[in-house]
Amino acid sequence: MKLAHIGIAVKSLNDSVPVFEKIFGTNASEQEHVEEQKVNVRKFHLDNCDIELLEGTDPESPISKHIEKRGEGIHHVSFGIEDIAGALNKLKASGINLINETPRTGADDMLIAFLHPKSTNGVLMELTEPKKS
Ligand code: ZN
């Protein structure tokens, strides 16, 4: 398992992207819309992990709800893994609460699943696996 990316909830990509571009000295990826999560995403590819800026596109988006409750900031930490379905089964069997018991489709056409922060000291953890073509 390796750190894949850190997801940051922002109110406005238009406002936030230029700030992070200054900090990282690199341009963000093109904007991608993930309908299932109701978010727009722009990423920074850093040397050892990506930073994902997430903007909700609907009040019901998990990102919009997060900002409403806790404000902007780190939303989740994502870990790359080989067999996400197998990992979810193992985690469930070992008593970890899962938000997604089966993988869903996220940005970059990756399979994703979230673990429940109740099980992980309040940290929303995401597992990701590239879809096999
Ligand atoms: Zn993510």
Side-chain angles (χ1 to χ4, degrees):
M1 199 182 281
K2 63 168 189 165
L3 180 61
H5 63 259
I6 297 169
I8 298 177
V10 304
K11 285 182 187 162
S12 159
L13 284 173
N14 282 342
D15 292 345
S16 299
V17 163
V19 175
F20 283 84
E21 284 182 337
K22 267 185 225 159
I23 293 166
F24 296 135
T26 179
N27 292 326
S29 66
E30 290 298 307
Q31 183 166 306
E32 184 184 350
H33 177 66
V34 182
E35 181 52 36
E36 195 170 307
Q37 306 285 324
K38 296 187 168 55
V39 291
N40 288 327
V41 184
R42 293 189 69 187
K43 289 186 175 188
F44 293 90
H45 302 295
L46 306 184
D47 288 342
N48 58 345
C49 93
D50 288 356
I51 302 294
E52 192 176 80
L53 299 187
L54 301 151
E55 167 194 77
T57 57
D58 183 286
E60 287 306 300
S61 161
I63 294 300
S64 308
K65 287 185 186 167
H66 176 93
I67 288 175
E68 185 151 334
K69 271 195 231 153
R70 298 193 195 91
E72 296 178 293
I74 292 182
H75 176 257
H76 67 274
V77 182
S78 179
F79 297 90
I81 191 165
E82 302 268 307
D83 173 16
I84 191 169
L88 290 170
N89 285 336
K90 265 191 222 159
L91 291 170
K92 192 182 175 193
S94 66
I96 304 286
N97 278 308
L98 307 176
I99 291 177
N100 308 119
E101 297 202 353
T102 53
R104 328 182 67 121
T105 301
D108 287 338
D109 208 28
M110 302 277 276
L111 293 172
I112 67 166
F114 287 97
L115 313 186
H116 202 289
K118 265 188 208 159
S119 283
T120 52
N121 298 81
V123 179
L124 181 57
M125 292 173 71
E126 178 190 49
L127 304 180
T128 59
E129 178 189 0
K131 266 190 190 171
K132 296 186 179 75
S133 47

